[in-house]
Amino acid sequence: MDSIDAAELALSLPEVDPSRASIARIYDFWLGGSQNFEADREAGRRAAEALPTLPAWARANRAFLRHVVDELVTTYGIRQFLDLGSGVPTAGNVHEVAQAAAPGATVVYIDMDPVAIAHARALLADNPTAHAALADLREPQAVLDHPVVRENIDWGKPVAVLMFAVLHFIPDDAEAARIVRAFMEPCGPGSYLAISHGSHDRSALAAQQQAARNYLQFTGVPFTPRSAEQVAPWLTGLEIQPPGLVDVDVWLPSLKDGDTPNVPSLGVLARKGAGAGGAGTG
């Protein structure tokens, strides 16, 4: 057993159960991917029956991710990415965007879904600077100690920590703040944190709540939308970049002009400046 196998076995993550829907695979289904089971498709369909704009939200979130990664490489010169809760790799994923602008950029994907990581490893087999590790972002120290992270992320240089569409699955605000703080702690000055997070859909609140109940029924995972005022404390000590902690359609106005209304979703990019400690206690 090599060091990677040992690290992942120690996490005691659940075995793949095709009859149990997975967050990563439902998201893949909404994006039109093929790495999902019937249970995932049924869960995705049921949630979208209650809130039909969910697939559009998934596409908007992916567009925001691509935009931010491209900006991090081309504007801010970032060459290392730690993508937490990365899900199933799909077209336009982090390594494709980053390496198109900067060949050789390092990307480490982290997810707790074995199907997502198996697919990622197969996809990245011939890519020497993109890697995938099976780990749970709710255990930051285990992620940071993972051999794939230790061997490929140089904390002495700026790193972009990506948390796209994952923290709304952490129902406790203090726990979410702890996770953010733990991952930003080892980052040096000039590093960045990028977050997307589901927000309250005031125009369809009952439908959003029903979709969340359906999602919980199939996955066992609660969905917790938050306002900008609830997310902001996680960013204490970081320098929020324009246009701020705002809806993703402010970052990408074309999303607002689309034919399909989108579920409100917050997006933010924040920089760790010189002398900054962790990301605050929330």
Side-chain angles (χ1 to χ4, degrees):
M1 181 181 296
D2 66 19
S3 60
I4 293 175
D5 290 335
E8 295 179 355
L9 182 63
L11 291 172
S12 300
L13 293 173
E15 295 293 322
V16 176
D17 178 2
S19 67
R20 183 71 166 180
S22 151
I23 293 171
R25 299 192 304 267
I26 293 171
Y27 190 65
D28 177 64
F29 168 65
W30 283 336
L31 289 173
S34 60
Q35 301 301 311
N36 49 75
F37 301 126
E38 178 53 36
D40 308 308
R41 296 188 285 273
E42 176 63 14
R45 285 191 291 264
R46 286 285 298 275
E49 284 173 4
L51 192 61
T53 51
L54 278 170
W57 164 81
R59 293 190 296 271
N61 185 71
R62 181 60 60 169
F64 177 56
L65 178 146
R66 291 193 295 265
H67 172 81
V68 168
V69 170
D70 182 72
E71 185 168 309
L72 283 164
V73 175
T74 59
T75 302
Y76 300 113
I78 298 297
R79 297 295 184 269
Q80 299 186 102
F81 294 84
L82 180 63
D83 187 1
L84 299 163
S86 55
V88 178
T90 58
N93 215 327
V94 174
H95 71 280
E96 293 178 329
V97 176
Q99 293 177 354
T106 297
V107 178
V108 175
Y109 293 111
I110 301 292
D111 205 279
M112 64 179 293
D113 187 314
V115 172
I117 294 304
H119 185 61
R121 285 177 172 162
L123 181 69
L124 302 172
D126 297 323
N127 190 322
T129 58
H131 314 273
L134 184 66
D136 188 340
L137 67 85
R138 294 172 299 181
E139 300 180 24
Q141 196 56 53
V143 173
L144 297 172
D145 288 341
H146 195 290
V148 170
V149 176
R150 288 202 319 267
E151 294 167 10
N152 294 286
I153 296 294
D154 181 354
W155 298 104
K157 299 177 180 178
V159 180
V161 177
L162 311 179
M163 299 185 183
F164 282 82
V166 290
L167 291 173
H168 49 226
F169 297 121
I170 307 296
D172 183 75
D173 286 2
E175 176 69 1
R178 180 192 68 84
I179 291 169
V180 171
R181 184 171 63 251
F183 281 109
M184 293 309 294
E185 183 63 36
C187 295
S191 294
Y192 287 84
L193 169 68
I195 291 175
S196 71
H197 192 294
S199 190
H200 301 278
D201 191 342
R202 301 298 182 189
S203 66
L205 194 57
Q208 185 182 44
Q209 292 170 343
Q210 182 59 53
R213 286 192 291 269
N214 291 350
Y215 204 88
L216 177 63
Q217 175 188 347
F218 280 92
T219 66
V221 179
F223 169 75
T224 304
R226 291 182 173 96
S227 66
E229 290 73 22
Q230 290 172 292
V231 173
W234 307 346
L235 308 173
T236 300
L238 302 178
E239 302 164 358
I240 297 177
Q241 305 300 297
L245 175 56
V246 293
D247 199 277
V248 296
D249 65 16
V250 177
W251 284 85
L252 300 174
S254 60
L255 297 176
K256 185 181 292 186
D257 299 332
D259 294 333
T260 304
N262 185 37
V263 179
S265 185
L266 297 169
V268 66
L269 179 64
R271 181 180 184 272
K272 185 172 183 178
T281 60

